[in-house]
Amino acid sequence: MKVAVVTGASRGIGACIAQNLEDAGYAVVRASTSSNPKCNIANETDRRDLLDHVITQYGQVNLLVNNAGVAPATRLDLLETTSESYQRVMEINLEGTFFMCQLFANQMRKQPHGTGRIINIGSISAYTSSVKRGEYCISKAGVSMVTQLFADRLAEYGIGVFEIRPGIIETDMIAAVKDMYEKRIAEGLTPINRLGTPQDVANIVLAITDGRFDFATGQVFNADGGFHIRRL
């Protein structure tokens, strides 16, 4: 049986990914700050406890999906954002993702060659300016480089590392601004004229896990309705 760990799996994109993986036959460990095992990925002890739990129970890990992440608690203009908000977002979204990759990669490279994969859930905010949540944009830009670095470093072990960049996905994270996004999409913001769904992201996770993209390690998959297309 293949074993997957999905962080931020209590709701939204993470819960959808976890359910899809279970349906595909994976034993899935759903990690979040409210689950058992409980894991705040910004906390080193929590990260190590999570891996220990997985190895004790299953003896291996074949897939890590780094989905856990937060938006700023309050959207503040770039000229007003606080150190506290910046540190919180960076510690979870970037530092947590980096060290989850490191920790689980060191386990995967002990396993038979080619039996591990890592998927980082990034965002179109990695390259899209949003001046009322600048710390989030910076964190997701960092996640993109984390993906490239680990894809490079882990290639010799047959461990593929990939990034999925969701666009505007209908989850709790956008609830407060959903109407604004729906209006902009109706006006042509994205070529595909609808909000994304968690299933749109989970579909790409499943496509990666079947092994057909292993030679494309480091690849970025845009789940954004075509937002990334430069248009005149």
Side-chain angles (χ1 to χ4, degrees), residues 7-10 30-41 46 68 92:
T7 67
S10 63
R30 300 181 181 223
S32 72
T33 55
S34 60
S35 65
N36 184 21
K38 178 180 178 293
C39 182
N40 173 2
I41 66 166
D46 280 9
I92 296 171

Side-chain angles (χ1 to χ4, degrees), residues 16-202:
C16 185
I17 291 171
Q19 187 59 59
N20 275 260
L21 288 169
E22 286 180 353
D23 293 344
Y26 277 79
V28 179
V29 177
R30 300 181 181 223
S32 72
T33 55
S34 60
S35 65
N36 184 21
K38 178 180 178 293
C39 182
N40 173 2
I41 66 166
N43 182 285
E44 181 178 1
T45 299
D46 280 9
R47 294 192 298 263
R48 293 190 178 278
D49 286 349
L50 174 61
L51 179 59
D52 288 345
H53 169 84
V54 174
I55 300 307
T56 298
Q57 185 162 351
Y58 297 105
Q60 65 178 355
V61 58
N62 306 106
L63 175 67
L64 169 65
V65 181
N66 278 314
N67 169 73
V70 295
T74 303
R75 290 186 175 217
L76 294 173
D77 185 89
L78 197 64
L79 301 179
E80 300 171 351
T81 200
T82 65
S83 175
E84 291 77 14
S85 178
Y86 183 92
Q87 292 298 330
R88 170 179 171 268
V89 171
M90 297 295 281
E91 285 175 0
I92 296 171
N93 294 4
L94 183 52
E95 182 178 336
T97 296
F98 178 93
F99 285 107
M100 283 289 290
C101 286
Q102 182 191 74
L103 182 65
F104 279 76
N106 278 317
Q107 168 60 38
M108 290 176 180
R109 67 180 183 151
K110 300 174 186 175
Q111 299 170 184
H113 188 274
T115 59
R117 296 185 185 93
I118 297 173
I119 300 173
N120 293 325
I121 305 300
S123 171
I124 59 173
S125 293
Y127 63 90
T128 305
S129 173
S130 184
V131 297
K132 292 188 176 180
R133 52 178 191 149
E135 58 270 57
Y136 183 79
C137 297
I138 293 168
S139 73
K140 289 300 185 178
V143 167
S144 291
M145 181 50 71
V146 168
T147 302
Q148 298 300 305
L149 287 165
F150 278 96
D152 182 8
R153 183 67 181 86
L154 299 178
E156 67 179 284
Y157 304 105
I159 300 169
V161 186
F162 308 91
E163 179 188 355
I164 300 175
R165 285 183 186 162
I168 304 165
I169 307 295
E170 190 170 2
T171 66
D172 293 348
M173 189 175 283
I174 71 157
V177 289
K178 178 183 174 183
D179 291 344
M180 179 271 288
Y181 279 133
E182 287 185 322
K183 180 176 183 294
R184 294 193 64 189
I185 289 171
E187 293 169 348
L189 178 65
T190 57
I192 297 178
N193 191 23
R194 66 169 174 84
L195 288 170
T197 68
Q199 188 63 49
D200 291 320
V201 181

